[in-house]
Amino acid sequence: MSTDLTLAREPEPGPAVSRRSLLEARDVHRSFGQTPALRGAQLAVGGGEILAVMGPSGSGKSTLLHCLAGIYTPDQGEIRFDGQRIDELSDARRTELRRTAFGFVFQFGQLIPELTVSDNIAMPLLLGDVRRKEAYRRADAWLDRLGLGGLGGRRTGELSGGQAQRVAIARALVPQPKVLFADEPTGSLDSLTSETVMDLLVSTARAEGTTVVVVTHDARVAACAERTVMVRDGKVSALTEYEVAG
Amino acid sequence: MHTAGVSVPLTLLGLLDREPSHGYDLKRDYDAFFGRDKPLPFGQVYSTLGRLARDGKVTVGASEPGDGPDRKRYSITEAGRTEVESWLAEPAPPEPHLQSVLFAKVVLALMLGRDAARYLDAQRGSHLRRMRELTETRRGGATMDVLLADYGLFHLEADLRWIDATEARLSALREMVRKP
Ligand SMILES: Nc1ncnc2c1ncn2[C@@H]1O[C@H](COP(=O)(O)OP(=O)(O)OP(=O)(O)O)[C@@H](O)[C@H]1O
Ligand SMILES: [Mg+2]
């Protein structure tokens, strides 16, 4: 398997693809009908890395995230997680991988508004056959970590945007995923709330050793990550961070 | 558009990198693209060209028939060209109010058929790095530090939005700066 990891044909010098990367896209193409969304996307994300993905609207960021997460399969190219081709797995095995190894945070609409904060956070554990009592114990342990202490019994439909996103983060992290995928997780929040939410996301992911791929338009959110790549016209390029004397 | 901070010598050199020109043409293009609120006096055009010639960055052609300093055509040298290229490629310090310098670079890069998006990315990179440092300072800092870091962060963020908007309009801008 390891010999497969050396890149024999790199279509263009993209961000470094290393042997230690946990997640890789290699020359990924994906179209929707006549619209090409990805055209040779190349990316490697290291284990435990916190990566921000930026780029103009319509450039292919969400499509890339969905391909990396095994939600979309590429038309061409490879997606590897932990050295294994996930684009070649059966639908059932990919769904299982997503459930056990990946967590997701989106801009809106992943919480069930009629259920309480604790119910929402415990949900993925209950679906994963964790016993009820244990699931709630683990869910409630997340409340304080994310500054949600005392809100466990509140319906999520009654939370502020920033509180709801913190619940979504807890819900995504409670099953201890290897990778957390976030698409505009702060897209509906004001700048300062975004930064608080992102800070919590980064610090908890770091404490858990979770790799994070976060798509964002917000530079303050990207500044909380460790590295930023740009997607343009369906391709990924590294953003070199020069240090310039002030 | 504030022009404070845009280097006149580098801008004139950049215009000469496009094609050899008379002082008059340089002043006209400078005023049109870089000096909208502050036209460049003729005197400064010629004194700047004189210094650039002394430093080996431009050469002065033979006087053409007629009077006055405008009879001479100036051309950029290899040394001048190198200077323009390194100025374009190097991101400016990520301080507030750098739009004028950045705008000048983008316009010149487009005039010279260079990859303006690449220069904008270099700037994005250095801005993000600075933002990362400020975000770090902010984390767990005292209120004063948080507020000062926020001031810097909001300005850098505004710059980055402007960089995004500029990138989105590069092709329109390219049309505009192209010589007829
Ligand atoms: N499900 C879909 N059906 C049809 N076209 C799609 C679909 N998803 C994406 N596209 C198209 O693919 C291209 C890339 O879309 P994508 O959503 O990946 O962009 P993005 O970078 O996430 O943009 P934004 O910043 O606006 O969210 C766009 O042209 C988009 O219209
Ligand atoms: Mg998107």
Side-chain angles (χ1 to χ4, degrees):
Chain A
M1 204 75 204
S2 67
T3 48
D4 291 342
L5 282 173
T6 53
L7 257 197
R9 42 172 192 89
E10 189 171 77
E12 57 178 8
V17 174
S18 87
R19 274 162 200 268
R20 275 194 302 264
S21 46
L22 182 65
L23 192 64
E24 285 181 40
R26 295 185 180 182
D27 193 24
V28 169
H29 293 251
R30 179 66 153 91
S31 296
F32 296 96
Q34 296 299 313
T35 313
L38 294 178
R39 347 178 177 206
Q42 190 89 348
L43 177 67
V45 190
E49 185 174 24
I50 315 264
L51 177 78
V53 178
M54 298 189 84
S57 185
S59 58
K61 302 180 296 296
S62 296
T63 308
L64 176 66
L65 192 88
H66 284 75
C67 285
L68 288 168
I71 297 171
Y72 293 158
T73 46
D75 300 332
Q76 189 191 312
E78 302 177 2
I79 304 290
R80 282 172 190 262
F81 169 65
D82 222 358
Q84 189 191 18
R85 291 278 297 264
I86 66 167
D87 51 295
E88 288 178 333
L89 297 177
S90 69
D91 283 353
R93 287 198 53 204
R94 248 183 316 121
T95 306
E96 179 61 12
L97 179 72
R98 282 204 301 273
R99 198 181 63 72
T100 55
F102 298 161
F104 298 90
V105 178
F106 297 112
Q107 187 171 349
F108 314 101
Q110 38 204 332
L111 300 176
I112 302 170
E114 296 80 16
L115 295 185
T116 66
V117 168
S118 294
D119 292 335
N120 270 279
I121 301 175
M123 182 76 68
L125 296 175
L126 295 169
L127 293 175
D129 298 331
V130 174
R131 280 213 303 274
R132 202 177 159 76
K133 204 170 152 201
E134 170 66 7
Y136 278 89
R137 192 191 61 74
R138 281 167 61 185
D140 287 343
W142 277 88
L143 294 175
D144 282 335
R145 274 181 92 173
L146 291 182
L148 296 163
L151 291 178
R154 185 89 75 86
R155 281 183 225 283
T156 56
E158 298 163 4
L159 297 176
S160 74
Q163 289 166 339
Q165 285 310 77
R166 281 182 273 163
V167 175
I169 291 166
R171 185 185 138 120
L173 288 176
V174 72
Q176 301 183 293
K178 288 270 186 301
V179 186
L180 179 70
F181 294 97
D183 196 346
E184 300 286 359
T186 62
S188 57
L189 308 178
D190 68 66
S191 185
L192 286 177
T193 312
S194 291
E195 199 177 283
T196 311
V197 166
M198 191 57 198
D199 250 355
L200 279 166
L201 189 155
V202 167
S203 56
T204 45
R206 223 177 243 146
E208 299 283 304
T210 309
T211 303
V212 177
V213 182
V214 56
V215 169
T216 185
H217 280 110
D218 186 339
R220 289 191 75 157
V221 166
C224 296
E226 293 160 356
R227 180 166 71 107
T228 302
V229 294
M230 297 287 297
V231 177
R232 262 197 210 93
D233 299 326
K235 289 190 185 136
V236 187
S237 55
L239 198 58
T240 311
E241 299 200 357
Y242 296 85
E243 184 170 25
V244 184
Chain B
M1 180 68 45
H2 293 278
T3 48
V6 180
S7 153
V8 173
L10 279 164
T11 315
L12 293 185
L13 263 185
L15 289 170
L16 284 171
D17 196 355
R18 206 174 37 159
E19 63 188 1
S21 314
H22 293 97
Y24 175 80
D25 301 319
L26 293 174
K27 174 182 159 47
R28 187 198 53 214
D29 287 344
Y30 182 96
D31 290 350
F33 293 111
F34 312 104
R36 303 188 85 143
D37 60 349
K38 193 163 169 277
L40 196 58
F42 266 116
Q44 196 181 347
V45 175
Y46 292 110
S47 59
T48 305
L49 288 169
R51 277 194 300 276
L52 289 170
R54 182 198 65 201
D55 296 342
K57 290 167 192 159
V58 305
T59 54
V60 190
S63 273
E64 293 162 23
D67 300 322
D70 206 25
R71 298 297 113 202
K72 288 177 186 149
R73 223 152 68 113
Y74 296 82
S75 308
I76 194 165
T77 64
E78 212 37 56
R81 214 161 250 143
T82 308
E83 180 149 331
V84 171
E85 177 55 32
S86 38
W87 175 65
L88 284 175
E90 190 197 337
E95 295 306 323
H97 313 305
L98 86 141
Q99 278 88 335
S100 50
V101 180
L102 218 48
F103 183 76
K105 284 190 185 194
V106 168
V107 168
L108 274 173
L110 291 172
M111 279 178 172
L112 302 175
R114 307 274 167 81
D115 186 353
R118 194 160 56 87
Y119 301 133
L120 288 176
D121 256 5
Q123 195 63 56
R124 268 198 190 92
S126 72
H127 264 54
L128 265 177
R129 187 190 167 111
R130 182 79 189 112
M131 287 182 76
R132 210 185 303 291
E133 290 164 3
L134 289 170
T135 303
E136 206 52 57
T137 307
R138 208 179 168 279
R139 200 168 280 146
T143 307
M144 270 315 287
D145 298 330
V146 169
L147 287 175
L148 288 172
D150 271 340
Y151 181 85
L153 282 164
F154 284 124
H155 278 90
L156 291 163
E157 192 183 5
D159 282 353
L160 280 167
R161 284 194 192 172
W162 181 83
I163 289 172
D164 289 345
T166 304
E167 181 176 339
R169 291 175 181 80
L170 277 183
S171 43
L173 195 57
R174 188 179 291 116
E175 283 303 305
M176 207 188 85
V177 303
R178 205 147 59 189
K179 277 262 180 182

